[in-house]
Amino acid sequence: MQYFAVLLPVQTVGVHGDLRVYGQTVAVRAVDSIDGMTAVYSKSPMRSSTASRSGSRNEVGGINRVVYDVSNKPPATIEWE
C-alpha cells in the first residue's frame, strides 16, 4: 500500500576504510493494508534490503545508515510520526 523513505535528523558514526565518518540516517517503511485502519509491515522489500542499503549509502552523499521500520498499525501510524 505504501512505501517511503524518511531522512531522520540523526547523525550516526560509521567506519569507511580506516576513517570514522559521520552521516545522516534514512528510515524505510513499507506497509500493506486493505482499509488503512490497520496495517502490517511489508516483508517483500526485505529481500532487496541489502541492495537498497548499499545503493543508498553509495549513491547519495551524506547517508551513513539505512534502517528498515517494521512497525505495524496499531500501535504506530502509517505515516511517519
Side-chain angles (χ1 to χ4, degrees):
M1 178 184 158
Q2 192 173 32
Y3 186 91
F4 62 94
V6 177
L7 180 63
L8 301 177
V10 176
Q11 285 215 335
T12 59
V13 64
V15 178
H16 293 218
D18 291 334
L19 301 174
R20 182 176 291 172
V21 179
Y22 295 91
Q24 298 293 322
T25 301
V26 171
V28 175
R29 178 180 284 174
V31 294
D32 293 324
S33 178
I34 295 172
D35 58 4
M37 299 300 291
T38 61
V40 294
Y41 72 92
S42 178
K43 297 175 184 168
S44 61
M46 295 182 89
R47 293 181 189 147
S48 61
S49 65
T50 304
S52 66
R53 281 195 313 260
S54 61
S56 298
R57 287 191 313 243
N58 295 334
E59 295 176 12
V60 180
I63 302 298
N64 192 38
R65 185 177 311 260
V66 178
V67 296
Y68 187 65
D69 186 349
V70 293
S71 301
N72 293 325
K73 176 185 179 181
T77 62
I78 293 176
E79 302 82 15
W80 189 260
E81 23 329 294

